[in-house]
Amino acid sequence: MVGTRGVPAHYGGFETAIEEVGRRLAARGHDVVVYCREGNDESQPTEHLGMRLVTLPAVRSRTLETLSHTGLSVAHLVARRTDVAFVFNAANSPFLPVLRARGIPVATHVDGLEWRRAKWGPNGQRYYRLAEANAVRWSDDLIADARGIADYYTEEFGASTTLIAYGAPIAKDLPADKLVPLRVEPRGYHLVVARFEPENHVKEIVTGYVRSGARLPLVVVGSAPYADEYTRAVHAAALGDERVRFLGGVWDQEQLDQLYAHALTYLHGHSVGGTNPSLLRAIGAGAPSIAFDVSFNREVLGDDGRYFAGPEDVAPHVEAAEADVDAAARRGAALQDRARDYDWDLVADGYEALARRLHRRAVPGPQRGRRRAHGTTAVPSATKETV
């Protein structure tokens, strides 16, 4: 498994997926190797939950960190025997021909629509657009984590994908002892957990909340490397309102689980990344969720969610939740039931089945990789397998 910060999972969705899937595949007898970025874990373990870890350095730069580490990982990988490779993030597609030249079948998890992220600027966005096409052209198969992503690759490239979502851990009857140091009480706060990036709409959530008549505080968990300007904008949006509490990163996973489980509402602004693990974690904990209105989030929440398109929509939702706490709790319980459809064991089944197909070469192989002209019709099925 190549292309992420690695495990133990301390950062985001890819790392969580690798930890949850890798540990299950290792328990089933597979030899799972995970390439980890230097600095991901200070102790630099060589084994984690049955997975073998290879830790390599990276250039500390927003534009080069991922590519530099993946390049070193692929160089290390091709010198050793492996049956199958999973590459995470279409941005790493320049290294796919190296794996193919070595005869290693590879599936690329394409992630979300990275070229829509404002942080990359025009050159970065062009790079990601090209990387998407190259992932289609040079992968033996593509993994999409949301139907909206699968549909995008069908509509843009006429390419098939394998749809494998993330899992949602179910958390019931959690204690609230780790809320005490944060000075919040169960059902006594609204919660945001997000990297501070424009596409995650943290500023819009804070702006809308500040305009509301909410009595309960808004607890904001998150930060972002290389995003000082946006972080300042998020803090400025609070206008000094004492109801807004910025916690920064919360690395104690038990404390984070308690925050999700006892929130009156969870506000989720992610818009371009496909199925988001933070949203799944929230509904798995039974948090009544208010999400930015895009297909990825509606796919997860359905009619049990509440949605916003801008700051003006945030205030009515948080005020309504405070006005009827029981109704909010019922929505949270319904969302927790929906979370049972996102099962890590089934996700691991999907990766295991795909690995076996890759090894047998029972996969599409490289596809055309050219964007389709608008208005074309004959579109193949977006997915071969849904998990």
Side-chain angles (χ1 to χ4, degrees), residues 62 85 121 146 173:
R62 181 171 71 181
D173 302 321

Side-chain angles (χ1 to χ4, degrees), residues 43-279:
S43 63
Q44 291 196 12
T46 58
E47 186 273 342
H48 178 64
L49 299 174
M51 297 170 278
R52 292 194 289 128
L53 311 186
V54 177
T55 299
L56 296 169
V59 176
R60 297 301 176 187
S61 161
R62 181 171 71 181
T63 55
L64 295 177
E65 189 166 351
T66 295
L67 285 172
S68 63
H69 179 257
T70 301
L72 289 174
S73 300
V74 168
H76 185 277
L77 170 61
V78 296
R80 289 152 181 84
R81 180 184 177 278
T82 188
D83 296 311
V84 169
F86 290 114
V87 171
F88 292 80
N89 196 338
N92 291 314
S93 62
F95 302 107
L96 296 175
V98 181
L99 295 172
R100 292 188 55 76
R102 187 67 172 83
I104 299 171
V106 56
T108 301
H109 190 309
V110 292
D111 197 16
L113 307 181
E114 284 291 317
W115 56 270
R116 290 185 178 174
R117 295 189 186 276
K119 68 179 182 180
W120 296 122
N123 290 334
Q125 290 171 355
R126 280 193 292 271
Y127 173 79
Y128 270 99
R129 296 268 289 178
L130 178 61
E132 286 180 350
N134 287 337
V136 174
R137 187 178 298 120
W138 295 331
S139 302
D140 292 291
D141 203 354
L142 303 170
I143 302 169
D145 61 36
R147 186 161 298 280
I149 298 296
D151 290 344
Y152 170 81
Y153 274 82
T154 295
E155 292 161 5
E156 286 290 306
F157 300 103
S160 65
T161 61
T162 294
L163 178 59
I164 311 178
Y166 290 114
I170 305 298
K172 279 185 169 290
D173 302 321
L174 291 184
D177 57 298
K178 295 201 171 188
L179 300 185
V180 175
L182 305 178
R183 298 180 295 110
V184 293
E185 298 179 354
R187 300 296 179 223
Y189 59 94
H190 306 277
L191 178 67
V192 180
V193 180
R195 246 177 285 171
F196 284 8
E197 297 178 348
E199 295 74 25
N200 293 344
H201 295 94
V202 182
K203 186 176 79 169
E204 287 79 3
I205 292 171
V206 171
T207 299
Y209 171 84
V210 167
R211 294 174 183 171
S212 79
R215 296 175 296 102
L216 302 179
L218 177 69
V219 175
V220 183
V221 175
S223 58
Y226 317 119
D228 292 345
E229 183 178 349
Y230 186 72
T231 298
R232 286 192 294 270
V234 171
H235 282 260
L239 300 175
D241 192 322
E242 293 183 356
R243 295 176 299 165
V244 183
R245 302 183 188 175
F246 293 101
L247 300 187
V250 172
W251 309 115
D252 181 334
Q253 297 304 304
E254 290 182 7
Q255 186 176 52
L256 190 57
D257 282 335
Q258 289 186 22
L259 279 167
Y260 281 118
H262 297 296
L264 176 61
T265 68
Y266 166 70
L267 294 108
H268 182 81
H270 299 63
S271 63
V272 301
T275 302
N276 186 270
S278 181
L279 183 58

